[in-house]
Amino acid sequence: MARISRDVFLEIAQHLDVKTLFKLCETSKEANMLLKTYERSLSQLRLANFPVPPTGDVLSSELYLRRPIKHRSFEMLLELENRKSRVKDILTASPHFNLKSPPGLGELTIPQQERLCALLYRAFAQCDYIADIAANTPCQLPEAQWYKPRFISWWIGRDVPEGFRLKDPYTNYSARPTQMEYIRNLSKQDCIMMYYLMNMMGSCFVKSREDWILSDPAFYERTIVFKECVLRHGSWYAWAHFMGNSEWEIMTVDIARIGMAELNRFEYGDQDAICSLQSVLIGRFNELHESPDNKTEVVQQAVRSLITANIDDSDDRDRDEEDQE
């Protein structure tokens, strides 16, 4: 460190991945102090690499627990990198999703698959952003103690007093109004891709639970709840279900039980039950598409257009240039 000027050291740090930055902090007290001093600025410069940069604190992705991580910190960058890796796993390594022929889009070329991956990555990032809303003002993120598995049985009851109901970290009613407002202001393209992502996640869930279809009378409702959990909790929940080990899968089942209880409370007309984020997304989609009768077909056509238009135009131009030559 003594042989390298501060400016050169910081320039090198700017081009390192987050895990290497953490290791660099451990090399010496001087390096650690310098990197911590410029942590916010170094982090801010990297946020442009993410499709939906967070504007505040983000949530951690731990087993059962989601604690706030400070904005523009190295730990936040590590969390964002982990999310990126999880989404890649879901889209390219999950046995339940075929990127070559995704639901309703037919056979895709490699460039089209790459375009679709980029759009779905952004859609997942939007879901993560919605989840992160809970970690920031004016929302009140429930304390870590309420995430403990022993409280799961509390949150699935319909008779929980309202004061305790508001402490449910997986439903998190305090964040719902702000999350709804965010969805109501989505752009047309973001709305299309998030709607398609929800349909895709529903299709993948059905494939992952095919052995439940005939024996589970509430299977349709479980599919709805799964999509709501992905929309509400983002890549953390989707990765845990499709790619996590048995502990992570049990967590998703527990959270889904809470979601089923919430759905039942809403259907039974409980006064303190708030409508789902999915219903708000559907409303936004209807608003932008004049309430189409067949939403699934409309969104599939829109996604097909997004992933083929520019690529097809480019291919046509290339062929024209070759013909001229």
Side-chain angles (χ1 to χ4, degrees):
M1 177 68 185
R3 299 179 181 178
I4 305 176
S5 70
R6 185 190 67 176
D7 291 342
V8 172
F9 181 83
L10 292 174
E11 179 65 23
I12 293 172
Q14 179 57 43
H15 297 283
L16 298 176
D17 61 77
V18 184
K19 292 182 179 179
T20 304
L21 276 176
F22 277 113
K23 292 180 180 179
L24 190 59
C25 288
E26 298 173 355
T27 57
S28 70
K29 182 178 180 180
E30 185 180 1
N32 181 65
M33 291 180 63
L34 183 57
L35 289 172
K36 289 298 182 181
T37 299
Y38 289 91
E39 181 176 16
R40 291 176 62 83
S41 59
L42 288 170
S43 300
Q44 181 65 34
L45 290 172
R46 292 166 180 253
L47 288 181
N49 296 328
F50 299 96
V52 187
T55 57
D57 294 351
V58 302
L59 295 175
S60 66
S61 300
E62 300 164 69
L63 188 65
Y64 281 101
L65 174 64
R66 307 213 77 182
R67 57 184 173 80
I69 299 175
K70 287 298 182 181
H71 186 236
R72 292 192 294 179
S73 66
F74 293 154
E75 187 180 5
M76 181 201 72
L77 291 179
L78 182 60
E79 169 61 26
L80 297 181
E81 289 289 351
N82 288 338
R83 293 177 182 182
K84 183 176 181 179
S85 177
R86 289 196 298 268
V87 172
K88 182 179 179 181
D89 285 346
I90 295 168
L91 297 179
T92 63
S94 171
H96 309 297
F97 179 57
N98 181 5
L99 192 61
K100 295 180 180 179
S101 182
L105 300 185
E107 295 290 330
L108 302 184
T109 64
I110 292 178
Q112 291 167 357
Q113 292 174 43
E114 292 173 349
R115 174 70 63 81
L116 179 61
C117 269
L119 291 170
L120 288 174
Y121 175 42
R122 178 177 173 84
F124 262 119
Q126 291 283 13
C127 294
D128 286 327
Y129 189 100
I130 289 169
D132 291 335
I133 286 174
N136 296 278
T137 306
C139 308
Q140 295 181 348
L141 188 68
E143 296 178 4
Q145 63 171 325
W146 298 109
Y147 281 90
K148 293 180 179 179
R150 65 189 178 92
F151 286 111
I152 293 292
S153 60
W154 286 30
W155 314 134
I156 62 175
R158 286 190 56 207
D159 56 349
V160 178
E162 185 175 358
F164 283 102
R165 175 69 64 192
L166 294 176
K167 298 180 184 296
D168 171 4
Y170 302 112
T171 303
N172 204 350
Y173 277 146
S174 67
R176 194 73 59 84
T178 309
Q179 292 170 331
M180 289 177 171
E181 186 62 22
Y182 183 81
I183 294 174
R184 292 190 185 103
N185 288 286
L186 286 173
S187 68
K188 189 171 185 177
Q189 179 171 310
D190 282 333
C191 184
I192 288 170
M193 291 310 305
M194 288 183 70
Y195 198 103
Y196 181 75
L197 177 63
M198 292 305 103
N199 290 342
M200 187 190 80
M201 287 291 97
S203 176
C204 292
F205 176 78
V206 171
K207 290 180 181 179
S208 71
R209 291 288 186 266
E210 286 182 338
D211 55 332
W212 291 19
I213 296 176
L214 297 179
S215 61
D216 185 358
F219 188 78
Y220 174 74
E221 288 78 9
R222 294 192 198 284
T223 305
I224 293 176
V225 168
F226 179 80
K227 293 191 290 184
E228 174 72 13
C229 287
V230 173
L231 182 58
R232 189 181 304 173
H233 301 299
S235 58
W236 173 69
Y237 187 87
W239 180 89
H241 176 83
F242 291 118
M243 309 301 296
N245 61 24
S246 59
E247 286 186 302
W248 286 96
E249 187 173 7
I250 291 172
M251 180 195 77
T252 64
V253 172
D254 285 340
I255 296 176
R257 290 168 62 202
I258 298 171
M260 286 290 289
E262 182 187 3
L263 178 61
N264 290 333
R265 290 177 61 242
F266 184 79
E267 291 180 340
Y268 279 110
D270 287 9
Q271 292 183 353
D272 61 338
I274 305 177
C275 66
S276 68
L277 295 183
Q278 273 188 98
S279 64
V280 180
L281 179 62
I282 293 171
R284 178 59 174 163
F285 183 84
N286 289 342
E287 175 188 340
L288 295 172
H289 294 82
E290 299 181 353
S291 300
D293 293 330
N294 191 332
K295 300 179 182 64
T296 300
E297 182 178 338
V298 170
V299 75
Q300 289 173 351
Q301 290 175 348
V303 173
R304 180 78 188 179
S305 177
L306 287 172
I307 65 175
T308 61
N310 292 338
I311 293 174
D312 291 344
D313 290 346
S314 176
D315 291 342
D316 291 340
R317 286 194 297 271
D318 291 341
R319 283 194 293 269
D320 291 341
E321 291 175 359
E322 290 175 359
D323 293 340
Q324 291 175 4
E325 293 176 357

